[in-house]
Amino acid sequence: MENDQHKTVAFESVLNKAVSRRRVIQSGGAIGATSFLGGASTLAMSATQATYLMGFDPIPTSTADEIQLPSGYHYEVLVAWGDPIIKGAPKFSVSNSADDQAGQFGDNTDGMSIFHLQTKQGGLDENRAVMAVNSEYINKEFMHTHQGKNMSADDVKKEIVAHGVNIFEVKKNKKGSWKVNKNSPLNRRLHGDADEFIMTGPVTGHPLVQTAMDRSGSKIRGTLNNCGNGQTPWGTYITCEENFNGYFGAPEATPLNDEQRAYGLSETGFDYNWWPHEDRFNLAKHPNEANRFGWIVEIDPLDPSSKAMKRSALGRFKHENAAITLAPNGHAVVYMGDDERGEFIYKFVSKETYKENDRAHNMRLLEEGTLYAAKFNDNGSGEWIELSFGKNGLTPANGFKDQAYILVYARIAARFVGATSMDRPEWVACHPSSPMVFCTLTNNKYRGERDSQPVNAANPREKNPFGHIIRWVPENRDHSAQRFGWDLFAMAGNPNTQTGLMAGSENISADNMFNSPDGLAFDADGRLWIQTDGNYKNEGIFEGQGNNQMLCADPVTGHIRRFLVGPKECEITGCTFANDQRTLFIGVQHPGVGWPNAEKDGVPRSAVVAIRKDDGGIIGS
Ligand code: FEO
Ligand code: CA
Ligand code: CA
């Protein structure tokens, strides 16, 4: 295996190799992200960074049914689907009822954040924390004793409450192992049937979100398809509602309008078939219920009596995650991807500014602000196009009736103003100490085949089965600025079986190749962690890539090393670090039945695992 510890990969050569094959960007290096960072001086500095950022030996690919880690690392399962996290909840059994599930960890773990508690002296408690973890969707075939073939009303309710957010206290024992404290008064489930969601911002009370059950248009039942996450500087948790459309359905021949179709709503949905049991999911009877999903939701994880807030100012789409940072002028900036082929990357800038030590004020920052969609020009420059009523043609004459309409149908507005359609924007991550922002573009089978998805420099492959990672830097290092420079950080590919652009960029080798980058996060030292959700068949164009995995990258030099490989069938998603960076929590979503560590009674269970170094050192160092 090649060890790249002492080799540096100049970022510009990554970019040039990726794009020169198509001769798309002729002058990207002059305008793109590297020039906004200060060009060569930043890259020169990074040559030494590369060696100290990643101190582990990269691991080979694997098709085994077990988690693989570098030597000197081990893992433990922290919590799996069905484990009780609320006092009094029963142990996991496939025959658990909806009530049982409402006190247990939900299905299909995804984005997560850790919030350390305070010690009595007022400092951070390194050994006690609250975790907030998303449960994205359900595996019907494993959730019921009848594999979903004979659904009762309680079975439907069980599926609904297996979605949402899990909040629970964790404690680290003397051996360094984290354990769930299932009796903590801080624990709660904010699930798909919880009557604890309040809408805030411009859409609140608008006719588009009024329903028979809620004439106020502000009190929402549940959160669904909780995919990635965010963690605010003021200590709240963000959960992101992604493929909400799949839960809705309607009798045959129910007419659906263009707005509904723009969000993928259909008569059958994703075959959850909740609507015959739960009226609110019936599009024919309650068309506005679907407008109450697809939002960014802010939760105070330390106050179990608090309501969760659906932040309408940040727009409605298939939210993957939310990367939150503060601009130099104090405005909170939230970068967000809309995970669907040909959709867009968005940015929200708060109206008010962050105030140190005023949590109540900061908790209102996401109520009001400006939403933008990204345009990536072929020359490496980019701009944020404002999605505000009256601006950029978003007027009644063009069908945009008011700001609430623009936010509920943000996709339609972004497309209208000429934002760049992307290869499925998944997670966005902001570097902890520089203005760099990264976004995974997981894959796209059809780019170039549809009029609305032309091939462009930011999405240079006509068919993109491997995905890529884009990077941008705002003008003047100011995240509230309207212009930015961008470049491509990595084009995933297969240098063994493919040639040209499909082989991948220069920082992709036979030793670190992967497909479908999805989860993305920085640790406090600036290591970029990449998680995959892709083809794990290890054959054809994906031969040699193995199971889904997690990689670590130097965000400046472009070095990428494989850190973890998951068990068969799973996707690796969700990532949070304990404050001391000595425990890394990740999610193993939808593993197969053969992974022994979370299987019970023949049922595979998604699980959060805690990864530590045998010597207790900093993860990745
Ligand atoms: Fe929930 Fe786009 O992944
Ligand atoms: Ca994802
Ligand atoms: Ca994905």
Side-chain angles (χ1 to χ4, degrees):
M1 180 196 317
E2 181 193 37
N3 186 328
D4 60 359
Q5 186 146 1
H6 304 292
K7 194 180 90 176
T8 56
V9 181
F11 184 83
E12 278 160 339
S13 73
V14 174
L15 172 71
N16 291 340
K17 187 173 171 193
V19 299
S20 64
R21 288 170 176 152
R22 281 194 49 79
R23 296 189 191 89
V24 180
I25 301 180
Q26 301 299 340
S27 57
I31 304 172
T34 47
S35 72
F36 278 77
L37 279 170
S41 58
T42 311
L43 291 167
M45 178 191 76
S46 70
T48 48
Q49 268 188 343
T51 50
Y52 98 82
L53 263 186
M54 291 185 279
F56 63 92
D57 290 330
I59 64 168
T61 187
S62 165
T63 55
D65 224 340
E66 184 49 283
I67 293 177
Q68 312 291 326
L69 288 165
S71 61
Y73 285 81
H74 64 276
Y75 81 92
E76 294 176 286
V77 171
L78 175 75
V79 63
W81 166 48
D83 285 345
I85 59 166
I86 306 289
K87 196 174 178 179
K91 286 190 176 154
F92 171 80
S93 159
V94 182
S95 53
N96 286 141
S97 67
D99 272 357
D100 297 340
Q101 175 67 76
Q104 297 170 328
F105 191 71
D107 202 357
N108 284 313
T109 180
D110 209 314
M112 64 178 101
S113 294
I114 189 167
F115 300 85
H116 283 267
L117 296 169
Q118 303 261 307
T119 62
K120 289 200 179 88
Q121 292 74 36
L124 271 192
D125 191 332
E126 299 286 348
N127 303 316
R128 262 184 87 210
V130 167
M131 287 188 71
V133 186
N134 291 344
S135 281
E136 188 182 32
Y137 67 104
I138 53 114
N139 293 115
K140 211 182 247 295
E141 68 274 30
F142 299 124
M143 182 144 282
H144 314 287
T145 51
H146 51 72
Q147 290 85 44
K149 293 175 195 137
N150 185 22
M151 296 292 289
S152 68
D154 193 70
D155 293 334
V156 169
K157 194 73 89 184
K158 182 181 177 183
E159 293 186 355
I160 296 170
V161 302
H163 289 73
V165 181
N166 310 272
I167 299 173
F168 51 92
E169 189 182 326
V170 288
K171 281 185 177 167
K172 191 169 70 176
N173 65 24
K174 291 207 169 69
K175 289 182 190 154
S177 283
W178 290 90
K179 306 287 177 198
V180 174
N181 173 12
K182 67 176 192 231
N183 295 321
S184 170
L186 294 172
N187 297 3
R188 66 195 296 208
R189 283 291 323 282
L190 279 158
H191 54 64
D193 198 48
D195 199 7
E196 295 177 68
F197 295 84
I198 304 293
M199 178 159 277
T200 74
V203 181
T204 310
H206 191 274
L208 280 171
V209 290
Q210 293 173 8
T211 64
M213 284 77 91
D214 172 33
R215 297 280 179 209
S216 78
S218 65
K219 299 188 180 101
I220 298 168
R221 181 173 286 272
T223 185
L224 290 169
N225 212 267
N226 304 81
C227 182
N229 67 303
Q231 190 166 14
T232 65
W234 49 95
T236 58
Y237 183 69
I238 302 294
T239 186
C240 305
E241 298 180 332
E242 194 189 14
N243 292 302
F244 64 89
N245 58 312
Y247 304 104
F248 293 85
E252 245 178 84
T254 299
L256 296 174
N257 60 32
D258 289 347
E259 286 95 335
Q260 289 171 312
R261 294 199 185 281
Y263 282 78
L265 291 158
S266 67
E267 290 164 4
T268 56
F270 296 167
D271 287 325
Y272 284 97
N273 283 316
W274 290 352
W275 66 268
H277 298 272
E278 292 261 342
D279 229 19
R280 67 188 173 113
F281 296 107
N282 184 336
L283 289 168
K285 287 190 182 169
H286 304 288
N288 285 350
E289 182 70 1
N291 293 341
R292 293 144 67 91
F293 294 85
W295 300 104
I296 289 288
V297 186
E298 185 174 10
I299 296 167
D300 184 350
L302 303 180
D303 178 2
S305 67
S306 62
K307 299 277 189 191
M309 303 292 175
K310 295 212 180 188
R311 299 302 197 189
S312 73
L314 283 77
R316 173 173 168 265
F317 41 93
K318 294 188 181 180
H319 281 286
E320 182 73 21
N321 89 323
I324 301 144
T325 189
L326 295 174
N329 52 20
H331 292 278
V333 176
V334 188
Y335 291 106
M336 304 169 283
D338 180 354
D339 180 10
E340 187 141 13
R341 282 185 277 274
E343 292 298 330
F344 310 103
I345 293 171
Y346 296 82
K347 175 177 91 164
F348 169 84
V349 180
S350 67
K351 180 174 179 220
E352 301 289 331
T353 56
Y354 178 79
K355 290 185 185 160
E356 196 76 42
N357 301 323
D358 190 348
R359 193 164 185 256
H361 165 84
N362 297 331
M363 293 262 300
R364 295 194 301 272
L365 286 177
L366 305 188
E367 280 180 14
E368 212 179 338
T370 308
L371 187 67
Y372 303 84
K375 182 165 186 220
F376 293 86
N377 299 317
D378 281 358
N379 66 358
S381 69
E383 56 203 279
W384 293 103
I385 310 177
E386 187 172 338
L387 303 180
S388 296
F389 183 63
K391 297 257 178 85
N392 298 312
L394 299 173
T395 59
N398 290 321
F400 298 94
K401 298 159 195 147
D402 53 28
Q403 186 61 21
Y405 181 93
I406 290 167
L407 293 168
V408 171
Y409 302 120
R411 281 181 164 185
I412 296 171
R415 185 160 276 112
F416 179 84
V417 300
T420 302
S421 73
M422 310 296 286
D423 286 351
R424 292 187 56 195
E426 298 249 32
W427 291 51
V428 189
C430 298
H431 189 275
S433 57
S434 87
M436 291 187 288
V437 187
F438 292 71
C439 179
T440 48
L441 298 157
T442 198
N443 58 55
N444 187 346
K445 288 179 261 185
Y446 305 122
R447 178 164 288 279
E449 290 184 6
R450 298 179 186 180
D451 290 346
S452 61
Q453 298 179 33
V455 172
N456 53 48
N459 303 272
R461 290 199 278 229
E462 282 171 18
K463 284 201 194 308
N464 186 7
F466 298 111
H468 58 291
I469 300 174
I470 198 166
R471 173 176 85 158
W472 64 87
V473 174
E475 189 172 42
N476 300 325
R477 307 169 85 89
D478 174 1
H479 289 290
S480 67
Q482 307 215 348
R483 294 188 342 118
F484 60 90
W486 67 269
D487 47 29
L488 298 177
F489 178 69
M491 298 291 299
N494 191 327
N496 280 359
T497 65
Q498 306 291 300
T499 56
L501 201 54
M502 295 293 262
S505 49
E506 196 166 275
N507 52 348
I508 301 298
S509 70
D511 294 325
N512 70 4
M513 61 178 170
F514 59 92
N515 73 85
S516 304
D518 188 337
L520 197 65
F522 277 104
D523 65 28
D525 290 337
R527 294 177 200 86
L528 179 63
W529 297 86
I530 304 162
Q531 302 175 318
T532 73
D533 168 26
N535 187 302
Y536 47 77
K537 297 223 160 47
N538 201 41
E539 58 189 36
I541 62 168
F542 305 107
E543 191 180 324
Q545 301 191 336
N547 296 344
N548 277 308
Q549 55 195 274
M550 182 161 174
L551 305 108
C552 186
D554 183 310
V556 179
T557 64
H559 286 87
I560 300 174
R561 287 186 192 178
R562 189 180 293 116
F563 174 79
L564 173 152
V565 183
K568 283 183 181 172
E569 298 178 41
C570 81
E571 123 185 32
I572 301 295
T573 183
C575 176
T576 190
F577 288 86
N579 185 59
D580 62 9
Q581 294 179 248
R582 291 162 200 276
T583 308
L584 159 63
F585 299 92
I586 58 134
V588 177
Q589 195 194 70
H590 62 84
V593 283
W595 183 40
N597 283 302
E599 177 274 341
K600 195 156 190 311
D601 300 329
V603 174
R605 300 189 298 154
S606 295
V608 175
V609 306
I611 295 165
R612 290 180 55 80
K613 251 176 152 167
D614 300 344
D615 66 4
I618 288 174
I619 303 295
S621 67

